[in-house]
């Protein structure tokens, strides 16, 4: 029995060391190498920043909004990414809204007047992203009911 426990502890220890130190070093080396490669640096850092905005420490898509872009009666789901456009000499009354495309990681950035943007209060930013990316086919109420059943 003691031999079995020693083997299990050894396997766990080797897994922990390899995942924390070896893979961390490899990923750090790869990241540094990609950031120093001319031509690739721009694409790599832009893509990395984009995905970190979704799930990393720099989360930017945490304020879901409805944006009135094309006409008075048309509203699209987006995410407030910048609350002032002074850096582009457009004034503090403009905001930046990122609008994702359905079934895609692409999207559009719109700079809009503040009065054409309404914050979404009733659903989380994650639910708004899911709704926008799936083209509105996801049933958020049904998913909430499923999660409530699992918790009870």
């Amino acid at each position: 029995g003691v031999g079995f426990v020693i083997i299990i502890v050894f396997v766990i220890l080797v897994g922990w060391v390899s995942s924390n130190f070896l893979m961390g070093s490899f990923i750090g080396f790869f990241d540094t190498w990609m950031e120093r490669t001319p031509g690739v640096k721009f694409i790599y850092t832009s893509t990395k920043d984009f995905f970190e905005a979704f799930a990393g420490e720099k989360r930017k898509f945490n304020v879901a909004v409805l944006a009135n872009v094309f006409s008075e009666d048309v509203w699209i789901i987006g995410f407030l990414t910048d609350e002032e456009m002074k850096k582009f000499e457009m004034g503090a009354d403009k905001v930046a809204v990122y609008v994702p495309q359905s079934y895609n990681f692409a999207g559009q950035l719109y700079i809009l007047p503040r009065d054409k943007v309404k914050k979404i209060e009733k659903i989380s930013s994650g639910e708004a992203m899911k709704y926008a990316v799936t083209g509105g086919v996801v049933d958020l109420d049904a998913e909430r009911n499923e999660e409530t059943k699992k918790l009870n």
Side-chain angles (χ1 to χ4, degrees), residues 54 64-66 76-79 98-104 106 120 123-138 140:
F54 275 109
V65 296
L66 289 171
I76 55 179
I77 296 174
F79 297 90
Y98 175 78
V99 178
Q101 294 178 352
S102 299
Y103 298 104
N104 199 344
I120 300 174
I123 62 174
S124 70
S125 60
E127 290 173 322
M129 180 63 83
K130 186 182 287 189
Y131 192 81
V133 171
T134 62
V137 298
V138 67
L140 296 176

Side-chain angles (χ1 to χ4, degrees), residues 24-37 44:
S25 298
F26 176 73
I27 290 171
F29 172 75
F30 180 75
D31 191 44
T32 304
W33 182 71
M34 291 297 280
E35 288 180 358
R36 290 183 180 174
T37 306
Y44 176 73

Side-chain angles (χ1 to χ4, degrees), residues 19-121:
S19 65
N20 284 330
F21 297 108
L22 298 178
M23 284 306 291
S25 298
F26 176 73
I27 290 171
F29 172 75
F30 180 75
D31 191 44
T32 304
W33 182 71
M34 291 297 280
E35 288 180 358
R36 290 183 180 174
T37 306
V40 175
K41 177 183 177 180
F42 175 74
I43 295 168
Y44 176 73
T45 56
S46 299
T47 305
K48 180 180 169 186
D49 289 343
F50 180 76
F51 284 107
E52 282 183 359
F54 275 109
E57 293 178 17
K58 301 179 188 177
R59 288 192 68 178
K60 287 285 193 179
F61 300 122
N62 54 2
V63 179
V65 296
L66 289 171
N68 182 249
V69 179
F70 305 111
S71 75
E72 278 189 42
D73 296 330
V74 178
W75 293 85
I76 55 179
I77 296 174
F79 297 90
L80 193 64
T81 57
D82 199 347
E83 294 210 39
E84 59 88 16
M85 293 282 102
K86 289 181 183 176
K87 63 182 127 305
F88 296 114
E89 298 177 8
M90 299 187 78
D93 65 323
K94 301 278 196 254
V95 296
V97 176
Y98 175 78
V99 178
Q101 294 178 352
S102 299
Y103 298 104
N104 199 344
F105 282 108
Q108 298 294 321
L109 178 68
Y110 295 100
I111 297 174
L112 302 168
R114 245 179 233 286
D115 63 342
K116 295 214 175 239
V117 176
K118 292 195 279 188
K119 290 185 180 178
I120 300 174
E121 302 290 337

